Short mmCIF file of all heavy atoms in Angstrom, two decimals:
data_model
loop_
_atom_site.label_atom_id
_atom_site.label_comp_id
_atom_site.label_asym_id
_atom_site.label_seq_id
_atom_site.Cartn_x
_atom_site.Cartn_y
_atom_site.Cartn_z
N ALA S 1 77.06 125.04 235.06
CA ALA S 1 77.36 126.28 235.78
C ALA S 1 78.83 126.40 236.16
O ALA S 1 79.23 127.39 236.77
CB ALA S 1 76.50 126.36 237.04
N GLY S 2 79.61 125.39 235.80
CA GLY S 2 81.03 125.44 236.12
C GLY S 2 81.38 124.87 237.47
O GLY S 2 82.55 124.90 237.87
N MET S 3 80.40 124.33 238.17
CA MET S 3 80.68 123.72 239.47
C MET S 3 81.18 122.28 239.28
O MET S 3 80.74 121.57 238.39
CB MET S 3 79.41 123.72 240.33
CG MET S 3 78.89 125.11 240.68
SD MET S 3 77.45 125.05 241.75
CE MET S 3 78.15 124.26 243.20
N ALA S 4 82.11 121.89 240.15
CA ALA S 4 82.71 120.56 240.03
C ALA S 4 81.72 119.47 240.40
O ALA S 4 81.08 119.53 241.45
CB ALA S 4 83.96 120.47 240.89
N ILE S 5 81.58 118.50 239.51
CA ILE S 5 80.80 117.30 239.79
C ILE S 5 81.68 116.25 240.46
O ILE S 5 81.28 115.56 241.39
CB ILE S 5 80.20 116.72 238.49
CG1 ILE S 5 79.26 117.72 237.84
CG2 ILE S 5 79.47 115.40 238.76
CD1 ILE S 5 78.78 117.29 236.46
N ASP S 6 82.91 116.16 239.97
CA ASP S 6 83.84 115.14 240.44
C ASP S 6 85.23 115.51 239.96
O ASP S 6 85.41 116.46 239.18
CB ASP S 6 83.43 113.76 239.87
CG ASP S 6 84.13 112.59 240.56
OD1 ASP S 6 84.84 112.82 241.56
OD2 ASP S 6 83.94 111.45 240.09
N GLN S 7 86.23 114.79 240.42
CA GLN S 7 87.59 114.90 239.93
C GLN S 7 88.03 113.53 239.44
O GLN S 7 87.68 112.51 240.04
CB GLN S 7 88.55 115.36 241.04
CG GLN S 7 88.36 116.80 241.47
CD GLN S 7 89.35 117.18 242.57
OE1 GLN S 7 89.68 116.35 243.41
NE2 GLN S 7 89.81 118.42 242.54
N GLY S 8 88.79 113.51 238.32
CA GLY S 8 89.21 112.22 237.82
C GLY S 8 90.10 112.32 236.61
O GLY S 8 90.72 113.38 236.36
N ILE S 9 90.15 111.26 235.84
CA ILE S 9 91.00 111.17 234.67
C ILE S 9 90.14 111.17 233.41
O ILE S 9 89.15 110.45 233.32
CB ILE S 9 91.84 109.86 234.69
CG1 ILE S 9 92.70 109.81 235.94
CG2 ILE S 9 92.70 109.75 233.44
CD1 ILE S 9 93.75 110.90 236.02
N ALA S 10 90.54 111.99 232.43
CA ALA S 10 89.86 112.05 231.14
C ALA S 10 90.80 111.50 230.07
O ALA S 10 91.97 111.89 230.01
CB ALA S 10 89.45 113.47 230.80
N LEU S 11 90.29 110.60 229.24
CA LEU S 11 91.06 109.99 228.15
C LEU S 11 90.31 110.20 226.84
O LEU S 11 89.10 109.93 226.76
CB LEU S 11 91.25 108.49 228.39
CG LEU S 11 92.14 108.09 229.57
CD1 LEU S 11 91.99 106.60 229.85
CD2 LEU S 11 93.59 108.42 229.28
N TYR S 12 91.04 110.67 225.84
CA TYR S 12 90.43 110.93 224.53
C TYR S 12 91.10 110.07 223.47
O TYR S 12 92.33 110.05 223.34
CB TYR S 12 90.56 112.41 224.18
CG TYR S 12 90.12 112.76 222.77
CD1 TYR S 12 88.79 112.61 222.39
CD2 TYR S 12 91.04 113.24 221.84
CE1 TYR S 12 88.38 112.93 221.11
CE2 TYR S 12 90.64 113.57 220.55
CZ TYR S 12 89.31 113.41 220.19
OH TYR S 12 88.90 113.72 218.92
N PHE S 13 90.29 109.33 222.70
CA PHE S 13 90.78 108.50 221.61
C PHE S 13 90.14 109.00 220.32
O PHE S 13 88.91 109.01 220.20
CB PHE S 13 90.41 107.04 221.83
CG PHE S 13 90.90 106.47 223.14
CD1 PHE S 13 90.12 106.58 224.29
CD2 PHE S 13 92.13 105.84 223.23
CE1 PHE S 13 90.57 106.07 225.50
CE2 PHE S 13 92.58 105.32 224.43
CZ PHE S 13 91.80 105.44 225.57
N ALA S 14 90.97 109.43 219.37
CA ALA S 14 90.45 109.97 218.12
C ALA S 14 90.17 108.85 217.13
O ALA S 14 90.90 107.86 217.06
CB ALA S 14 91.45 110.95 217.52
N ALA S 15 89.10 109.02 216.38
CA ALA S 15 88.77 108.05 215.33
C ALA S 15 89.89 108.02 214.28
O ALA S 15 90.52 109.04 214.01
CB ALA S 15 87.44 108.44 214.67
N PRO S 16 90.16 106.84 213.71
CA PRO S 16 89.49 105.54 213.91
C PRO S 16 90.19 104.67 214.95
O PRO S 16 89.82 103.51 215.09
CB PRO S 16 89.58 104.91 212.53
CG PRO S 16 90.91 105.38 212.01
CD PRO S 16 91.07 106.79 212.54
N ALA S 17 91.20 105.21 215.63
CA ALA S 17 92.00 104.41 216.57
C ALA S 17 91.33 104.36 217.94
O ALA S 17 91.82 104.91 218.93
CB ALA S 17 93.41 104.97 216.68
N SER S 18 90.18 103.69 217.99
CA SER S 18 89.45 103.54 219.25
C SER S 18 88.67 102.24 219.20
O SER S 18 88.61 101.57 218.16
CB SER S 18 88.48 104.72 219.45
OG SER S 18 87.41 104.64 218.54
N PHE S 19 88.06 101.88 220.31
CA PHE S 19 87.29 100.64 220.37
C PHE S 19 86.16 100.64 219.36
O PHE S 19 85.93 99.64 218.66
CB PHE S 19 86.74 100.44 221.79
CG PHE S 19 85.81 99.26 221.91
CD1 PHE S 19 86.30 97.97 221.88
CD2 PHE S 19 84.44 99.45 222.06
CE1 PHE S 19 85.46 96.87 221.99
CE2 PHE S 19 83.58 98.36 222.16
CZ PHE S 19 84.10 97.07 222.13
N THR S 20 85.43 101.74 219.24
CA THR S 20 84.28 101.80 218.34
C THR S 20 84.65 102.23 216.93
O THR S 20 83.83 102.12 216.02
CB THR S 20 83.22 102.77 218.87
OG1 THR S 20 83.78 104.09 218.92
CG2 THR S 20 82.74 102.37 220.26
N GLY S 21 85.88 102.75 216.74
CA GLY S 21 86.24 103.31 215.44
C GLY S 21 85.81 104.76 215.30
O GLY S 21 86.10 105.40 214.29
N GLU S 22 85.14 105.30 216.32
CA GLU S 22 84.74 106.71 216.36
C GLU S 22 85.58 107.42 217.42
O GLU S 22 86.39 106.79 218.11
CB GLU S 22 83.26 106.82 216.73
CG GLU S 22 82.33 106.02 215.83
CD GLU S 22 80.91 105.95 216.39
OE1 GLU S 22 80.74 106.10 217.61
OE2 GLU S 22 79.99 105.75 215.59
N ASP S 23 85.39 108.74 217.55
CA ASP S 23 85.96 109.43 218.71
C ASP S 23 85.37 108.81 219.97
O ASP S 23 84.16 108.56 220.05
CB ASP S 23 85.62 110.92 218.69
CG ASP S 23 86.46 111.71 217.69
OD1 ASP S 23 87.30 111.08 217.01
OD2 ASP S 23 86.27 112.93 217.60
N VAL S 24 86.22 108.54 220.95
CA VAL S 24 85.76 108.00 222.22
C VAL S 24 86.36 108.84 223.34
O VAL S 24 87.55 109.14 223.35
CB VAL S 24 86.17 106.52 222.39
CG1 VAL S 24 85.89 106.05 223.82
CG2 VAL S 24 85.43 105.64 221.40
N LEU S 25 85.51 109.21 224.30
CA LEU S 25 85.94 109.95 225.49
C LEU S 25 85.55 109.13 226.71
O LEU S 25 84.40 108.72 226.84
CB LEU S 25 85.26 111.32 225.53
CG LEU S 25 85.53 112.18 226.78
CD1 LEU S 25 87.01 112.54 226.90
CD2 LEU S 25 84.67 113.45 226.74
N GLU S 26 86.54 108.87 227.57
CA GLU S 26 86.27 108.15 228.81
C GLU S 26 86.57 109.06 229.98
O GLU S 26 87.66 109.63 230.08
CB GLU S 26 87.09 106.86 228.90
CG GLU S 26 86.61 105.78 227.97
CD GLU S 26 87.14 104.40 228.34
OE1 GLU S 26 87.97 104.32 229.28
OE2 GLU S 26 86.74 103.42 227.70
N LEU S 27 85.60 109.17 230.86
CA LEU S 27 85.72 109.98 232.07
C LEU S 27 85.74 109.02 233.25
O LEU S 27 84.76 108.36 233.56
CB LEU S 27 84.54 110.94 232.18
CG LEU S 27 84.34 111.88 230.97
CD1 LEU S 27 83.05 112.67 231.12
CD2 LEU S 27 85.53 112.80 230.79
N GLN S 28 86.90 108.92 233.89
CA GLN S 28 87.11 107.98 234.98
C GLN S 28 87.12 108.75 236.30
O GLN S 28 88.05 109.49 236.59
CB GLN S 28 88.43 107.23 234.80
CG GLN S 28 88.51 106.48 233.48
CD GLN S 28 89.83 105.77 233.30
OE1 GLN S 28 90.67 105.76 234.19
NE2 GLN S 28 90.02 105.16 232.14
#
């Protein structure tokens, strides 16, 4: 609904340069 759940840092790692070799998104 667009309401805030939390505030934080978002990090995006594109494949293959990530831990799993896939796209990885971390929400801190």
Side-chain angles (χ1 to χ4, degrees):
M3 297 182 63
I5 298 172
D6 194 6
Q7 291 180 324
I9 302 295
L11 293 168
Y12 172 65
F13 304 88
S18 70
F19 174 73
T20 63
E22 306 169 336
D23 284 1
V24 170
L25 176 62
E26 287 197 355
L27 304 173
Q28 303 179 4

